[in-house]
Amino acid sequence: MTTALGIDIGGTGIKGAIVDVDSGELLSERVKLATPAGGEPEAILATVVEIIEALGGVAADVPLGVCFPAIVKNGKTLSAANVSQKWIGLDAEALFEKTLGRDITFVNDADAAGVAEVRFGAAKGVDGLVILTTLGTGIGSAMIYDGVLIPNSELGHLEIGGKDAETRASYAAKERSRMTYEKWATKRLQRYYSAVEFLFSPDLFIVGGGVSKSHEQFLPLLKLTTPIVPAKLRNNAGILGAAALAVKKPEGIA
């Protein structure tokens, strides 16, 4: 059994657990605390410390993976979604390592969820190109080819019809426009997934985000060549993926 700690930082909540990265099972209770108002780096880091303490402390040799709603390159956060703009350009990985006194792996949240679904969830055993999209406030994405993550794909920002795709096809866009599931699927999601399918010819689409719980109301309405299925791991996906990437970073990131 290989053990790691996964931390999932979001705009409203931060959660963590100890994970068996061979099986994808949680070895502890999942601890969740509210994201501090304003989402500033030092406040979020303090909350992560609280979560680790609530888990009883974790030995320094246990790998730690953190996923975060931003483009992450070489440990730096290059964007910020629903958190403080102070994250933009921040050497977040180094900041966390200095405060926590241990090596960590810092990754994008959608990338972590995609890796988790490939290793433990809806895409386990699927070869070729898997594309996960999370439909929420925006559209997050992850691309995994033969089990190897291609990081920071940001497919929610494809321009379709002169519009940033997530401003039209996200779940938040559906709610803003008060669309039915049928209209959202046939008018907005169909156009988005058809465009992504044409550009990348994936072998499987996975749809995550809270709305995936209602997948039967919209996924069957999409007409695609590529199979499209709901995510399985839901609220644990970020924790599982971050933990898995912390253990297998050299072979798990392209």
Side-chain angles (χ1 to χ4, degrees), residues 9 66-68 72 75 77 87 92-93 96 104-108 249:
I9 299 172
V66 178
C67 67
F68 187 80
V72 180
T77 44
W87 288 93
E93 190 170 82
F96 273 59
I104 70 164
T105 299
F106 210 89
V107 298
N108 171 266
K249 186 175 181 181

Side-chain angles (χ1 to χ4, degrees), residues 82-104:
N82 301 310
V83 290
S84 168
Q85 297 299 292
K86 291 181 180 179
W87 288 93
I88 298 175
L90 180 68
D91 196 345
E93 190 170 82
L95 174 64
F96 273 59
E97 287 180 339
K98 180 179 179 181
T99 302
L100 300 177
R102 59 196 298 155
D103 291 338
I104 70 164

Side-chain angles (χ1 to χ4, degrees), residues 12-77:
T12 59
I14 303 173
K15 47 189 181 284
I18 300 170
V19 175
D20 176 348
V21 299
D22 294 326
S23 68
E25 296 179 0
L26 299 188
L27 300 176
S28 70
E29 292 295 321
R30 188 181 69 184
V31 176
K32 182 176 181 179
L33 298 175
T35 301
E40 297 198 356
E42 293 294 345
I44 284 180
L45 186 48
T47 303
V48 170
V49 171
E50 284 188 62
I51 289 173
I52 294 173
E53 291 174 349
L55 289 168
V58 181
D61 61 348
V62 174
L64 169 58
V66 178
C67 67
F68 187 80
I71 296 168
V72 180
K73 187 170 184 179
N74 298 324
K76 290 187 177 181
T77 44

Side-chain angles (χ1 to χ4, degrees), residues 109-192:
D109 55 353
D111 283 344
V115 166
E117 290 291 343
V118 167
R119 295 191 183 174
F120 313 117
K124 186 175 182 180
V126 176
D127 294 327
L129 178 61
V130 175
I131 295 180
L132 171 134
T133 54
T134 57
L135 302 175
T137 304
I139 299 178
S141 67
M143 300 175 68
I144 301 97
Y145 184 76
D146 283 349
V148 178
L149 173 65
I150 305 163
N152 297 312
S153 53
E154 295 293 329
L155 298 184
H157 296 295
L158 287 174
E159 187 174 299
I160 300 174
K163 302 283 188 179
D164 194 57
E166 69 177 20
T167 66
R168 304 279 290 165
S170 67
Y171 180 67
K174 171 194 177 299
E175 293 295 279
R176 282 195 305 270
S177 300
R178 299 183 179 180
M179 285 181 284
T180 63
Y181 278 106
E182 181 178 7
K183 184 174 181 181
W184 182 47
T186 58
K187 301 297 183 183
R188 302 290 181 85
L189 293 182
Q190 181 67 56
R191 190 174 187 186
Y192 174 68

